[in-house]
């Protein structure tokens, strides 16, 4: 895989603190719903599996994210560190959103990440399941954008 001269600290090898920071940075980026900004965290030739889609490279990642956030309205995401070793991090996550019909969902999943030496993600494998929820069952109520530091995480919410 080609690596980019760009650097995105923290870089591997990860320890608990740097892995947790990397996870929060990813959460913050995705909660921005800025597809161009998010794509910069990945290598030029990054390989993904997201459900049954296989975007490869930043251009396809940008297009994937544009489509995702065009249909997943009021998207709010929480990620949590699960495990790490060397240049790899595993996370679990949940996000809430609604479709054009106003139906709410909580999507749960796990991701496996692999980083290059510059801290850019070169591989991302995501498994995701969608659970229909009532709007009254939502747990993610912050204003759109970055999750506030004092908002509970997944474990605190019992998710």
């Amino acid at each position: 895989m080609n690596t980019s001269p760009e650097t995105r600290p923290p870089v591997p090898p990860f320890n608990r603190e740097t892995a947790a920071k990397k996870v929060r940075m990813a959460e913050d980026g995705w909660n921005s719903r800025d597809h161009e900004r998010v794509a910069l965290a990945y290598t030029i030739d990054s390989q993904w599996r997201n459900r049954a889609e296989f975007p490869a490279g930043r251009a396809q990642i940008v297009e994937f994210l544009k489509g995702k956030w065009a249909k997943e309205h009021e998207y709010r995401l929480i990620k949590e560190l699960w495990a790490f070793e060397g240049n790899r991090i595993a996370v679990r996550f949940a996000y809430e959103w609604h479709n054009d019909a106003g139906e709410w969902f909580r999507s749960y999943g796990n991701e496996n990440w692999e980083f290059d030496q510059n801290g850019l993600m070169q591989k991302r494998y995501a498994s995701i399941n969608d659970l229909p929820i009532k709007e009254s069952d939502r747990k993610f109520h912050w204003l759109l954008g970055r999750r506030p530091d004092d908002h509970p995480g997944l474990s605190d919410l019992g998710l």
Side-chain angles (χ1 to χ4, degrees), residues 82-110:
W82 185 256
F84 65 93
E85 183 175 343
N87 69 335
R88 293 181 173 172
I89 296 175
V91 300
R92 63 188 204 95
F93 63 88
Y95 61 93
E96 294 179 348
W97 58 282
H98 70 81
N99 61 18
D100 289 334
E103 300 166 314
W104 281 92
F105 298 86
R106 185 174 304 121
S107 299
Y108 295 95
N110 299 294

mmCIF file of all heavy atoms in Angstrom, residues 82-110:
data_model
loop_
_atom_site.group_PDB
_atom_site.id
_atom_site.type_symbol
_atom_site.label_atom_id
_atom_site.label_comp_id
_atom_site.label_asym_id
_atom_site.label_seq_id
_atom_site.Cartn_x
_atom_site.Cartn_y
_atom_site.Cartn_z
ATOM 1 N N TRP A 82 -12.184 -0.562 21.896
ATOM 2 C CA TRP A 82 -12.387 -1.941 22.331
ATOM 3 C C TRP A 82 -11.041 -2.605 22.594
ATOM 4 O O TRP A 82 -10.836 -3.220 23.633
ATOM 5 C CB TRP A 82 -13.179 -2.707 21.281
ATOM 6 C CG TRP A 82 -13.527 -4.103 21.698
ATOM 7 C CD1 TRP A 82 -12.940 -5.250 21.271
ATOM 8 C CD2 TRP A 82 -14.515 -4.494 22.651
ATOM 9 N NE1 TRP A 82 -13.508 -6.340 21.895
ATOM 10 C CE2 TRP A 82 -14.489 -5.897 22.743
ATOM 11 C CE3 TRP A 82 -15.431 -3.783 23.425
ATOM 12 C CZ2 TRP A 82 -15.346 -6.604 23.580
ATOM 13 C CZ3 TRP A 82 -16.275 -4.496 24.253
ATOM 14 C CH2 TRP A 82 -16.225 -5.886 24.329
ATOM 15 N N ALA A 83 -10.104 -2.487 21.648
ATOM 16 C CA ALA A 83 -8.793 -3.123 21.794
ATOM 17 C C ALA A 83 -7.806 -2.425 20.859
ATOM 18 O O ALA A 83 -8.211 -1.719 19.930
ATOM 19 C CB ALA A 83 -8.879 -4.611 21.445
ATOM 20 N N PHE A 84 -6.515 -2.639 21.116
ATOM 21 C CA PHE A 84 -5.477 -2.051 20.267
ATOM 22 C C PHE A 84 -4.219 -2.892 20.384
ATOM 23 O O PHE A 84 -3.986 -3.571 21.389
ATOM 24 C CB PHE A 84 -5.181 -0.605 20.677
ATOM 25 C CG PHE A 84 -4.596 -0.495 22.060
ATOM 26 C CD1 PHE A 84 -3.222 -0.477 22.247
ATOM 27 C CD2 PHE A 84 -5.426 -0.462 23.169
ATOM 28 C CE1 PHE A 84 -2.684 -0.413 23.530
ATOM 29 C CE2 PHE A 84 -4.894 -0.397 24.451
ATOM 30 C CZ PHE A 84 -3.527 -0.375 24.626
ATOM 31 N N GLU A 85 -3.407 -2.853 19.344
ATOM 32 C CA GLU A 85 -2.080 -3.468 19.360
ATOM 33 C C GLU A 85 -1.308 -2.944 18.161
ATOM 34 O O GLU A 85 -1.817 -2.981 17.033
ATOM 35 C CB GLU A 85 -2.169 -4.991 19.294
ATOM 36 C CG GLU A 85 -0.777 -5.640 19.380
ATOM 37 C CD GLU A 85 -0.821 -7.153 19.427
ATOM 38 O OE1 GLU A 85 -1.891 -7.707 19.722
ATOM 39 O OE2 GLU A 85 0.209 -7.761 19.162
ATOM 40 N N GLY A 86 -0.113 -2.457 18.410
ATOM 41 C CA GLY A 86 0.733 -1.987 17.319
ATOM 42 C C GLY A 86 0.067 -0.887 16.517
ATOM 43 O O GLY A 86 -0.200 0.191 17.033
ATOM 44 N N ASN A 87 -0.230 -1.185 15.241
ATOM 45 C CA ASN A 87 -0.846 -0.194 14.364
ATOM 46 C C ASN A 87 -2.333 -0.479 14.120
ATOM 47 O O ASN A 87 -2.920 0.030 13.171
ATOM 48 C CB ASN A 87 -0.113 -0.128 13.018
ATOM 49 C CG ASN A 87 -0.314 -1.369 12.177
ATOM 50 O OD1 ASN A 87 -0.585 -2.456 12.697
ATOM 51 N ND2 ASN A 87 -0.174 -1.213 10.870
ATOM 52 N N ARG A 88 -2.945 -1.270 15.001
ATOM 53 C CA ARG A 88 -4.349 -1.642 14.835
ATOM 54 C C ARG A 88 -5.178 -1.220 16.044
ATOM 55 O O ARG A 88 -4.713 -1.297 17.183
ATOM 56 C CB ARG A 88 -4.485 -3.144 14.626
ATOM 57 C CG ARG A 88 -3.891 -3.575 13.308
ATOM 58 C CD ARG A 88 -4.047 -5.042 13.088
ATOM 59 N NE ARG A 88 -3.610 -5.383 11.734
ATOM 60 C CZ ARG A 88 -3.482 -6.619 11.311
ATOM 61 N NH1 ARG A 88 -3.758 -7.635 12.103
ATOM 62 N NH2 ARG A 88 -3.078 -6.841 10.073
ATOM 63 N N ILE A 89 -6.424 -0.813 15.741
ATOM 64 C CA ILE A 89 -7.381 -0.431 16.777
ATOM 65 C C ILE A 89 -8.717 -1.067 16.420
ATOM 66 O O ILE A 89 -9.126 -1.055 15.256
ATOM 67 C CB ILE A 89 -7.537 1.103 16.870
ATOM 68 C CG1 ILE A 89 -6.218 1.759 17.294
ATOM 69 C CG2 ILE A 89 -8.661 1.479 17.835
ATOM 70 C CD1 ILE A 89 -6.260 3.286 17.300
ATOM 71 N N ALA A 90 -9.404 -1.612 17.425
ATOM 72 C CA ALA A 90 -10.763 -2.111 17.265
ATOM 73 C C ALA A 90 -11.687 -1.221 18.091
ATOM 74 O O ALA A 90 -11.365 -0.874 19.229
ATOM 75 C CB ALA A 90 -10.872 -3.560 17.724
ATOM 76 N N VAL A 91 -12.812 -0.849 17.500
ATOM 77 C CA VAL A 91 -13.783 -0.005 18.193
ATOM 78 C C VAL A 91 -15.171 -0.620 18.077
ATOM 79 O O VAL A 91 -15.440 -1.413 17.174
ATOM 80 C CB VAL A 91 -13.820 1.437 17.635
ATOM 81 C CG1 VAL A 91 -12.490 2.120 17.759
ATOM 82 C CG2 VAL A 91 -14.308 1.478 16.209
ATOM 83 N N ARG A 92 -16.015 -0.216 19.004
ATOM 84 C CA ARG A 92 -17.438 -0.477 18.864
ATOM 85 C C ARG A 92 -18.103 0.884 18.819
ATOM 86 O O ARG A 92 -17.548 1.875 19.309
ATOM 87 C CB ARG A 92 -17.980 -1.364 19.977
ATOM 88 C CG ARG A 92 -17.888 -0.810 21.349
ATOM 89 C CD ARG A 92 -18.269 -1.870 22.401
ATOM 90 N NE ARG A 92 -18.718 -1.222 23.608
ATOM 91 C CZ ARG A 92 -19.979 -0.961 23.922
ATOM 92 N NH1 ARG A 92 -20.952 -1.322 23.113
ATOM 93 N NH2 ARG A 92 -20.299 -0.353 25.045
ATOM 94 N N PHE A 93 -19.255 0.951 18.198
ATOM 95 C CA PHE A 93 -19.891 2.244 18.030
ATOM 96 C C PHE A 93 -21.399 2.081 17.947
ATOM 97 O O PHE A 93 -21.924 0.988 17.725
ATOM 98 C CB PHE A 93 -19.373 2.972 16.778
ATOM 99 C CG PHE A 93 -19.672 2.255 15.490
ATOM 100 C CD1 PHE A 93 -20.858 2.481 14.817
ATOM 101 C CD2 PHE A 93 -18.767 1.353 14.958
ATOM 102 C CE1 PHE A 93 -21.144 1.810 13.636
ATOM 103 C CE2 PHE A 93 -19.036 0.685 13.783
ATOM 104 C CZ PHE A 93 -20.238 0.906 13.112
ATOM 105 N N ALA A 94 -22.081 3.208 18.120
ATOM 106 C CA ALA A 94 -23.509 3.299 17.858
ATOM 107 C C ALA A 94 -23.771 4.706 17.337
ATOM 108 O O ALA A 94 -23.100 5.663 17.740
ATOM 109 C CB ALA A 94 -24.319 3.036 19.119
ATOM 110 N N TYR A 95 -24.715 4.807 16.422
ATOM 111 C CA TYR A 95 -25.144 6.122 15.973
ATOM 112 C C TYR A 95 -26.646 6.121 15.755
ATOM 113 O O TYR A 95 -27.250 5.085 15.503
ATOM 114 C CB TYR A 95 -24.381 6.606 14.734
ATOM 115 C CG TYR A 95 -24.496 5.786 13.474
ATOM 116 C CD1 TYR A 95 -25.462 6.070 12.511
ATOM 117 C CD2 TYR A 95 -23.600 4.754 13.213
ATOM 118 C CE1 TYR A 95 -25.532 5.340 11.330
ATOM 119 C CE2 TYR A 95 -23.664 4.022 12.041
ATOM 120 C CZ TYR A 95 -24.639 4.325 11.104
ATOM 121 O OH TYR A 95 -24.719 3.597 9.942
ATOM 122 N N GLU A 96 -27.231 7.311 15.937
ATOM 123 C CA GLU A 96 -28.664 7.474 15.755
ATOM 124 C C GLU A 96 -28.902 8.408 14.579
ATOM 125 O O GLU A 96 -28.142 9.351 14.353
ATOM 126 C CB GLU A 96 -29.312 8.028 17.022
ATOM 127 C CG GLU A 96 -29.247 7.049 18.172
ATOM 128 C CD GLU A 96 -29.865 7.567 19.456
ATOM 129 O OE1 GLU A 96 -30.161 8.782 19.576
ATOM 130 O OE2 GLU A 96 -30.039 6.741 20.381
ATOM 131 N N TRP A 97 -29.991 8.142 13.861
ATOM 132 C CA TRP A 97 -30.317 8.917 12.669
ATOM 133 C C TRP A 97 -31.752 8.620 12.275
ATOM 134 O O TRP A 97 -32.358 7.692 12.778
ATOM 135 C CB TRP A 97 -29.367 8.561 11.527
ATOM 136 C CG TRP A 97 -29.378 7.092 11.164
ATOM 137 C CD1 TRP A 97 -28.764 6.064 11.839
ATOM 138 C CD2 TRP A 97 -30.066 6.479 10.078
ATOM 139 N NE1 TRP A 97 -29.018 4.866 11.223
ATOM 140 C CE2 TRP A 97 -29.810 5.084 10.128
ATOM 141 C CE3 TRP A 97 -30.868 6.958 9.050
ATOM 142 C CZ2 TRP A 97 -30.332 4.185 9.208
ATOM 143 C CZ3 TRP A 97 -31.384 6.063 8.119
ATOM 144 C CH2 TRP A 97 -31.103 4.690 8.203
ATOM 145 N N HIS A 98 -32.278 9.455 11.372
ATOM 146 C CA HIS A 98 -33.590 9.153 10.810
ATOM 147 C C HIS A 98 -33.539 9.275 9.299
ATOM 148 O O HIS A 98 -32.696 9.988 8.740
ATOM 149 C CB HIS A 98 -34.699 10.020 11.420
ATOM 150 C CG HIS A 98 -34.655 11.462 11.029
ATOM 151 N ND1 HIS A 98 -35.161 11.942 9.834
ATOM 152 C CD2 HIS A 98 -34.176 12.536 11.695
ATOM 153 C CE1 HIS A 98 -34.992 13.248 9.783
ATOM 154 N NE2 HIS A 98 -34.390 13.636 10.891
ATOM 155 N N ASN A 99 -34.455 8.564 8.655
ATOM 156 C CA ASN A 99 -34.516 8.583 7.195
ATOM 157 C C ASN A 99 -35.471 9.689 6.728
ATOM 158 O O ASN A 99 -36.009 10.453 7.547
ATOM 159 C CB ASN A 99 -34.910 7.204 6.652
ATOM 160 C CG ASN A 99 -36.279 6.748 7.129
ATOM 161 O OD1 ASN A 99 -37.109 7.532 7.589
ATOM 162 N ND2 ASN A 99 -36.521 5.451 7.007
ATOM 163 N N ASP A 100 -35.682 9.765 5.416
ATOM 164 C CA ASP A 100 -36.555 10.798 4.842
ATOM 165 C C ASP A 100 -37.991 10.691 5.346
ATOM 166 O O ASP A 100 -38.713 11.690 5.381
ATOM 167 C CB ASP A 100 -36.552 10.716 3.313
ATOM 168 C CG ASP A 100 -35.241 11.179 2.705
ATOM 169 O OD1 ASP A 100 -34.535 12.002 3.338
ATOM 170 O OD2 ASP A 100 -34.907 10.726 1.589
ATOM 171 N N ALA A 101 -38.413 9.496 5.724
ATOM 172 C CA ALA A 101 -39.777 9.283 6.219
ATOM 173 C C ALA A 101 -39.916 9.625 7.700
ATOM 174 O O ALA A 101 -41.008 9.507 8.265
ATOM 175 C CB ALA A 101 -40.197 7.830 5.978
ATOM 176 N N GLY A 102 -38.801 10.020 8.355
ATOM 177 C CA GLY A 102 -38.851 10.363 9.771
ATOM 178 C C GLY A 102 -38.722 9.178 10.706
ATOM 179 O O GLY A 102 -38.891 9.319 11.906
ATOM 180 N N GLU A 103 -38.398 8.005 10.158
ATOM 181 C CA GLU A 103 -38.213 6.803 10.983
ATOM 182 C C GLU A 103 -36.816 6.840 11.594
ATOM 183 O O GLU A 103 -35.829 7.047 10.884
ATOM 184 C CB GLU A 103 -38.378 5.550 10.119
ATOM 185 C CG GLU A 103 -39.741 5.448 9.481
ATOM 186 C CD GLU A 103 -39.782 4.415 8.369
ATOM 187 O OE1 GLU A 103 -38.872 4.393 7.516
ATOM 188 O OE2 GLU A 103 -40.742 3.628 8.371
ATOM 189 N N TRP A 104 -36.748 6.611 12.908
ATOM 190 C CA TRP A 104 -35.484 6.660 13.635
ATOM 191 C C TRP A 104 -34.852 5.285 13.737
ATOM 192 O O TRP A 104 -35.542 4.267 13.830
ATOM 193 C CB TRP A 104 -35.704 7.223 15.041
ATOM 194 C CG TRP A 104 -35.807 8.710 15.019
ATOM 195 C CD1 TRP A 104 -36.947 9.456 14.907
ATOM 196 C CD2 TRP A 104 -34.724 9.634 15.075
ATOM 197 N NE1 TRP A 104 -36.645 10.792 14.896
ATOM 198 C CE2 TRP A 104 -35.286 10.937 15.003
ATOM 199 C CE3 TRP A 104 -33.345 9.506 15.181
ATOM 200 C CZ2 TRP A 104 -34.508 12.092 15.033
ATOM 201 C CZ3 TRP A 104 -32.566 10.653 15.213
ATOM 202 C CH2 TRP A 104 -33.137 11.920 15.145
ATOM 203 N N PHE A 105 -33.520 5.284 13.769
ATOM 204 C CA PHE A 105 -32.731 4.060 13.890
ATOM 205 C C PHE A 105 -31.561 4.307 14.826
ATOM 206 O O PHE A 105 -31.054 5.419 14.928
ATOM 207 C CB PHE A 105 -32.163 3.629 12.523
ATOM 208 C CG PHE A 105 -33.220 3.314 11.524
ATOM 209 C CD1 PHE A 105 -33.775 4.319 10.741
ATOM 210 C CD2 PHE A 105 -33.681 2.011 11.366
ATOM 211 C CE1 PHE A 105 -34.765 4.038 9.813
ATOM 212 C CE2 PHE A 105 -34.660 1.721 10.438
ATOM 213 C CZ PHE A 105 -35.202 2.738 9.660
ATOM 214 N N ARG A 106 -31.140 3.247 15.493
ATOM 215 C CA ARG A 106 -29.839 3.229 16.163
ATOM 216 C C ARG A 106 -29.056 2.134 15.465
ATOM 217 O O ARG A 106 -29.469 0.976 15.426
ATOM 218 C CB ARG A 106 -29.957 2.951 17.659
ATOM 219 C CG ARG A 106 -28.602 3.070 18.357
ATOM 220 C CD ARG A 106 -28.683 2.937 19.879
ATOM 221 N NE ARG A 106 -29.607 3.895 20.448
ATOM 222 C CZ ARG A 106 -30.686 3.556 21.171
ATOM 223 N NH1 ARG A 106 -30.963 2.288 21.406
ATOM 224 N NH2 ARG A 106 -31.494 4.485 21.652
ATOM 225 N N SER A 107 -27.930 2.510 14.912
ATOM 226 C CA SER A 107 -27.074 1.559 14.204
ATOM 227 C C SER A 107 -25.912 1.206 15.118
ATOM 228 O O SER A 107 -25.254 2.097 15.669
ATOM 229 C CB SER A 107 -26.567 2.176 12.903
ATOM 230 O OG SER A 107 -27.658 2.494 12.055
ATOM 231 N N TYR A 108 -25.698 -0.091 15.290
ATOM 232 C CA TYR A 108 -24.634 -0.602 16.154
ATOM 233 C C TYR A 108 -23.580 -1.273 15.291
ATOM 234 O O TYR A 108 -23.920 -1.889 14.286
ATOM 235 C CB TYR A 108 -25.178 -1.676 17.102
ATOM 236 C CG TYR A 108 -26.189 -1.205 18.100
ATOM 237 C CD1 TYR A 108 -27.551 -1.315 17.842
ATOM 238 C CD2 TYR A 108 -25.786 -0.682 19.319
ATOM 239 C CE1 TYR A 108 -28.487 -0.908 18.777
ATOM 240 C CE2 TYR A 108 -26.716 -0.275 20.263
ATOM 241 C CZ TYR A 108 -28.060 -0.384 19.985
ATOM 242 O OH TYR A 108 -28.981 0.022 20.909
ATOM 243 N N GLY A 109 -22.331 -1.202 15.722
ATOM 244 C CA GLY A 109 -21.331 -1.909 14.942
ATOM 245 C C GLY A 109 -19.980 -1.993 15.597
ATOM 246 O O GLY A 109 -19.745 -1.489 16.705
ATOM 247 N N ASN A 110 -19.105 -2.651 14.860
ATOM 248 C CA ASN A 110 -17.709 -2.823 15.241
ATOM 249 C C ASN A 110 -16.853 -2.466 14.031
ATOM 250 O O ASN A 110 -17.251 -2.727 12.892
ATOM 251 C CB ASN A 110 -17.428 -4.284 15.626
ATOM 252 C CG ASN A 110 -18.266 -4.706 16.800
ATOM 253 O OD1 ASN A 110 -18.100 -4.209 17.899
ATOM 254 N ND2 ASN A 110 -19.193 -5.619 16.561
#
